[in-house]
């Protein structure tokens, strides 16, 4: 008897195996293991200093890991392996890997002297060699997607914090990444501006974008996340289905943290 199932197991897009990170003698990441499958939204929560942002920066090669391996798709991030030994990639090779990984920071990091439109077309034209016409068309599509088509010619100083963050998301999407990293994208915003940014992120999730999100927005984790991981002291304390973990955390440290943020 053959049993069939409609459930299709998605392939792992991100594999993090035994990752450690030291800053001098400070052991920030202590053997992190994590898998994020294609199209999943993985949410990371935890207190400040728990290693969440450092982990994102390692995935995007803004920091070099001290031990372990990170794969995005089938690429070993930051290194090549030869005869069982790891060798650093060149700056050019790292830049090529980074093209497929979009990152949105807590601070918007927009070019102050360029308009929203100009901020978005910069990387596609300079890094990917797109024509300005093609890049401009795509940028306007993305601005429309994040609700800012009428603000294309505004400079960052003319935009609210929430609008600047939405431009930053559009800028990251312009490179057509296969993975998006969000490092506390709403923490620098006034409370009334948070919803607009979260709505854009929800739309991305619905479209099937693979995302790793560091956030304190527990409601977003519950509603949108496929997995929720609580980190503390550089380790994964527990991980699982967001709704189950939030409602019934198994670890005392997780219960203590959630009691303070819910």
């Amino acid at each position: 008897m053959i049993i069939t199932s409609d459930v299709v197991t998605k392939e792992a897009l991100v594999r993090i195996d035994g990752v450690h990170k030291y800053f001098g003698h400070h052991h920030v990441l202590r053997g992190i293991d994590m898998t994020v499958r294609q199209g999943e939204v993985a949410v990371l929560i935890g207190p400040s200093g728990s290693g969440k942002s450092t982990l994102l920066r390692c995935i995007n090669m803004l920091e070099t890991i001290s031990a372990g391996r990170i794969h995005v798709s089938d690429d070993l991030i930051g290194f090549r392996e030869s005869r069982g030994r790891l060798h650093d990639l060149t700056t050019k090779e790292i830049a090529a890997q980074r093209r497929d990984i979009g990152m949105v920071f807590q601070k918007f990091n927009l070019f102050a002297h360029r308009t929203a439109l100009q901020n978005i077309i910069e990387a596609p034209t300079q890094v990917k060699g797109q024509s300005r016409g093609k890049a401009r068309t795509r940028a306007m599509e993305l601005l429309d997607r994040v609700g800012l088509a009428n603000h294309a010619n505004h400079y960052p100083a003319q935009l609210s914090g929430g609008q600047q963050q939405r431009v930053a998301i559009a800028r990251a999407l312009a490179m057509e990444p296969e993975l998006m990293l969000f490092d506390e994208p709403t923490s620098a915003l006034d409370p009334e501006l948070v919803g607009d940014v979260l709505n854009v992120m929800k739309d991305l999730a619905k479209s099937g974008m693979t995302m790793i999100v560091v956030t304190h927005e527990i409601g977003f984790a519950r509603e949108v996340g496929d997995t929720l991981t609580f980190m503390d002291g550089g380790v994964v304390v527990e991980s699982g289905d967001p709704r189950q973990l939030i409602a019934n955390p198994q670890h005392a440290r997780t219960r203590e943290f959630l009691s303070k943020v819910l």
Side-chain angles (χ1 to χ4, degrees):
M1 178 177 173
I2 298 176
I3 300 175
T4 61
S5 173
D6 293 330
V7 177
V8 177
T9 301
K10 298 177 181 178
E11 293 185 2
L13 180 68
V14 182
R15 301 194 314 277
I16 300 171
D17 301 304
V19 165
H20 291 257
K21 175 62 182 177
Y22 288 87
F23 290 108
H25 296 293
H26 185 33
H27 198 177
V28 180
L29 298 177
R30 299 169 175 261
I32 301 295
D33 296 309
M34 187 180 300
T35 299
V36 182
R37 299 191 180 280
Q38 185 77 43
E40 282 187 342
V41 178
V43 181
L44 309 183
I45 61 172
S48 297
S50 59
K52 309 179 304 296
S53 295
T54 297
L55 181 59
L56 289 194
R57 292 175 65 85
C58 288
I59 295 170
N60 203 32
M61 294 159 287
L62 296 174
E63 300 288 351
T64 302
I65 63 175
S66 304
R69 286 169 170 75
I70 298 174
H71 287 85
V72 176
S73 291
D74 292 323
D75 289 334
L76 177 61
I77 294 300
F79 301 94
R80 80 169 60 83
E81 188 168 7
S82 176
R83 297 180 181 179
R85 299 188 64 180
L86 296 181
H87 304 272
D88 292 339
L89 295 183
T90 65
T91 301
K92 184 177 181 179
E93 289 170 328
I94 289 174
Q97 286 189 336
R98 197 177 282 144
R99 292 175 194 170
D100 294 326
I101 305 173
M103 187 158 182
V104 177
F105 300 87
Q106 179 178 346
K107 299 296 184 181
F108 323 122
N109 295 332
L110 299 177
F111 295 115
H113 61 290
R114 294 190 173 128
T115 65
L117 180 66
Q118 291 168 340
N119 266 278
I120 296 170
I121 68 174
E122 176 73 13
T125 55
Q126 297 299 317
V127 178
K128 297 184 75 173
Q130 282 186 7
S131 69
R132 292 190 68 82
K134 181 178 179 180
R136 187 185 189 283
T137 297
R138 176 61 174 156
M140 289 304 301
E141 292 173 353
L142 290 169
L143 282 170
D144 183 61
R145 182 174 184 178
V146 300
L148 293 173
N150 293 331
H151 295 70
N153 295 318
H154 286 55
Y155 289 89
Q158 298 172 306
L159 301 172
S160 70
Q163 290 170 334
Q164 290 185 59
Q165 191 62 293
R166 283 184 278 158
V167 172
I169 293 172
R171 179 179 60 181
L173 292 174
M175 291 294 287
E176 300 180 342
E178 60 181 351
L179 171 67
M180 284 285 288
L181 309 175
F182 292 87
D183 188 9
E184 299 193 21
T186 61
S187 62
L189 302 179
D190 292 333
E192 65 269 22
L193 302 177
V194 169
D196 290 337
V197 174
L198 291 181
N199 284 336
V200 171
M201 295 170 63
K202 291 175 185 178
D203 177 68
L204 284 178
K206 290 178 182 177
S207 73
M209 175 64 72
T210 309
M211 301 159 59
I212 304 178
V213 182
V214 171
T215 185
H216 293 295
E217 300 290 340
I218 303 300
F220 174 87
R222 183 190 291 114
E223 179 182 351
V224 182
D226 294 293
T227 62
L228 179 62
T229 298
F230 173 64
M231 292 180 61
D232 190 28
V235 302
V236 171
V237 177
E238 65 178 297
S239 183
D241 176 87
R243 289 146 291 278
Q244 294 179 9
L245 194 152
I246 293 168
N248 187 29
Q250 299 301 299
H251 197 283
R253 182 66 185 96
T254 314
R255 291 195 293 272
E256 178 187 10
F257 176 80
L258 288 173
S259 71
K260 295 177 180 178
V261 298
L262 288 175

